[in-house]
Structures are given as structure tokens and as C-alpha cells.
Amino acid sequence: MSTHAATATLPRAMSADRPTREQREPNPPARHASAGRWQDALFEHTTRCFALLVLATLVGILLALLITAWPALQKFGPAFFFTNVWNPVTSTFGGLAPIYGTLVTSFIALLIGVPVSFGIALFLTEMCPAPLKRPLGTAVELLAAIPSIIYGMWGLFIFAPLFGDHVQPLLTSTVGKLPVIGALFQGAPNGIGILMAGIILSVMIIPFVASVMRDVFEIVPPVLKESAYGIGATTWEVVWNIVLPYTKVGVIGGIMLGLGRALGETMAVTFVIGNAYKISAGLFEPGNSIASALANEFNEAADPVHRASLIALGLVLFLLTFVVLALSRMLIAQLAKGEGKRT
């Protein structure tokens, strides 16, 4: 045999002696079709139980509130929600003033907090220099970790005197002279009242809303924004036409998160709202909210009707939160339906 033939035969002989991949790695044992059925069934039933547990908890809370608030609802009827009387001495209670205070302070908080949060999120995602982005974002998130009682103490001892001495007289002399809205900014400049509570609530919800908006703004694909900038769009046009339509569900969710925080806030509002069961046209006047009423009087409510009336206010707060959530879901569904029509 020639040398060329020997060298050609050698690799074939070596490859014949070398074990194949199938010989080196035996096939794994065949998995029976029913081997994992009980694990899948267990996982499915466990997750279903978790979901039903949340629903059962929600229904249980609602039933507990209804049962314990029934004495007040039975005694006063629907007039409880439309009567501005709260007199523990005569056992006459009406929840209109706390309901009014809760709605007005939450509206003021959103009116101030949402634009500020939008500006913070827009600056951090679109215009902030890279060295400042992380420190500023961390500072905004740290505001959310401050306990609410600290906000209340700061509002009562630091911000309220400054607000009463400088801001309220300025508002009275300027905005207070306008024909329609001027009545809202009239009253004694003592720094405590509905407007003060709304401002404190706005400071408290800004970290939550701004953090959510910043996170959802950052998930916009860069190619969409770069394409808009490439055809000459300004920053505002990119945000209004690209970023907001892409992230509107997350933005609405962040606003609803802030509204839920404002509706249920207790200690900070208790410090600065004045805790007076009355409805006034002026925002400088003291008022009350559902959460502050519960915090102030629940432990001292010895009369069963008084305690039931307070729990009825808690039921109203529960229903308000549910209505806000339902409206947000309806708005999101309506926006999604509109997108389907355009496409």
C-alpha cells in the first residue's frame, strides 16, 4: 500500500474507533406523559386559591364594614351622607363634612402634584445631564420613604407659619380679588386649613407619581424618539406625541396611585387640616377628612351609634377608592378602544 493510501485510510480507521455523540451521551429517559400532571394541577389550584383569597379578603372587609356600620345607616338613613351635623352629645351624626374635606384635599393634591410629577419625570428622562440623573432620581424616591407623621410635623411647625405669614396674605390680596374664585382664598391667614392639607398631600404623592412616570417614560423604545427628533420634532412634541401615547396606561396608573394615597392619608392631614366638622367656601378655613376623623375619635367613641358612624365613614372611604379604581379602568379601556378605531 502506498504512503498516500495509508494516510487516507488512517483517519477513517480512527473515526471508526472513536465513539459517536449518541454513544458518548446516552439518551435521557423518556418522560411519561402523566409524570408532571399532578405538579401542574397542584400549581394551578394553588394560584387559584391565592387569587380567590384576595377576592375573599375584599368581600370580607366590605361585609365587616357594612355589618358594623349598620346601626348608623339604619338610624340616619341616606341623610347620613348629606348632613353636615356631627354632635356626639346628642348622638346626631352626618358625614358630609369629612367626605367634602377628603374630596377637596385630594383634588388639590392632584392639581398640584400631577404637573410637578410630570415635570420631574420629563426632566429626568429627557433633559437631565447624565451625572445628575441618578442622584436626583434617588432623592425623589427617598421622599417616598419619609413617614407621613414627619410630613405632618413639618407642615404644622415649619411650613404652616410661613404659609400663614407670607403666602396666604399674598393670595388674598391677588387671587382673592377675582370675581369667581376669589371667595376660595378669603379667610383668616392662620396657616391651617383645607388648602394647607392639600399642599401637604401633594408633597406626599409627588414621589410616587413621579417615580411611576419616570419608569414608564424610560420603557419607550429609543428608536421612536430618535426618529421623531430626526424629522425635527421638539422635546415637547416628542413627549406629547410619542412618549405619552405609548405610556398612557402607566401614567394613569401612577396618577391613580397618588390619588389613592391622598384619599387614605391620615396623620399628615390630621396635623394641618384643623379637624373642624364644617364646610366653608374658603380654602383657608379649617375642615376635616374621613381619615382624620377616624384617627381622632375612634378610640374615644363609647356610644355604639358614634362608633357605627365612624365605621360608616370608613365604608364611604372604601367605596370612594373602589369608584376611583373603576373609573381608571374604564378610562384605560376607552383609550384602548380608541386605539383600535384608529388602527
Side-chain angles (χ1 to χ4, degrees), residues 250-267:
V251 170
I252 294 174
I255 295 174
M256 292 302 107
L257 176 64
L259 179 57
R261 176 72 187 272
L263 287 172
E265 180 52 44
T266 304
M267 294 309 300

Side-chain angles (χ1 to χ4, degrees), residues 32-315:
H32 297 288
S34 60
R37 288 182 180 176
W38 70 270
Q39 294 97 329
D40 294 339
L42 178 62
F43 180 75
E44 179 183 357
H45 291 304
T46 303
T47 53
R48 183 184 293 114
C49 288
F50 290 159
L52 294 178
L53 179 62
V54 175
L55 181 60
T57 304
L58 185 66
V59 174
I61 293 174
L62 179 60
L63 290 178
L65 290 174
L66 283 172
I67 293 172
T68 51
W70 182 248
L73 299 177
Q74 187 179 24
K75 180 177 180 179
F76 303 110
F80 174 83
F81 307 104
F82 306 101
T83 304
N84 186 20
V85 177
W86 194 271
N87 192 344
V89 177
T90 61
S91 294
T92 305
F93 302 99
L96 184 60
I99 295 172
Y100 169 81
T102 300
L103 294 177
V104 173
T105 53
S106 300
F107 177 76
I108 294 173
L110 288 183
L111 192 64
I112 299 174
V114 171
V116 174
S117 301
F118 177 78
I120 293 173
L122 177 60
F123 178 76
L124 290 177
T125 56
E126 299 296 331
M127 294 176 287
C128 182
L132 293 178
K133 182 175 293 187
R134 184 179 296 274
L136 289 179
T138 304
V140 172
E141 293 176 351
L142 285 177
L143 288 176
I146 299 177
S148 61
I149 192 171
I150 303 300
Y151 280 107
M153 295 172 63
W154 169 77
L156 178 63
F157 297 111
I158 305 298
F159 188 66
L162 297 175
F163 188 73
D165 294 338
H166 303 286
V167 180
Q168 284 184 334
L170 179 63
L171 291 175
T172 303
S173 61
T174 55
V175 185
K177 295 181 179 180
L178 296 178
V180 179
I181 64 174
L184 298 175
F185 300 94
Q186 298 292 335
N190 54 11
I192 300 297
I194 295 289
L195 181 59
M196 182 65 183
I199 294 175
I200 295 298
L201 284 178
S202 69
V203 176
M204 296 183 65
I205 69 172
I206 282 174
F208 296 93
V209 182
S211 297
V212 173
M213 286 187 177
R214 183 198 62 182
D215 293 340
V216 297
F217 286 173
E218 288 180 345
I219 67 173
V220 179
V223 65
L224 297 180
K225 296 188 289 185
E226 293 171 358
S227 301
Y229 284 123
I231 61 176
T234 63
T235 302
W236 172 252
E237 290 173 339
V238 170
V239 172
W240 186 257
N241 298 304
I242 303 296
V243 176
L244 281 180
Y246 193 89
T247 61
K248 56 182 175 294
V249 175
V251 170
I252 294 174
I255 295 174
M256 292 302 107
L257 176 64
L259 179 57
R261 176 72 187 272
L263 287 172
E265 180 52 44
T266 304
M267 294 309 300
V269 176
T270 304
F271 272 88
V272 298
I273 199 172
N275 302 303
Y277 285 94
K278 66 177 184 177
I279 298 176
S280 303
L283 298 178
F284 296 165
E285 299 295 329
N288 210 341
S289 70
I290 294 176
S292 61
L294 293 173
N296 285 324
E297 300 187 21
F298 196 81
N299 288 334
E300 301 176 357
D303 185 6
V305 179
H306 188 186
R307 185 179 293 269
S309 300
L310 291 172
I311 297 176
L313 289 178
L315 176 63

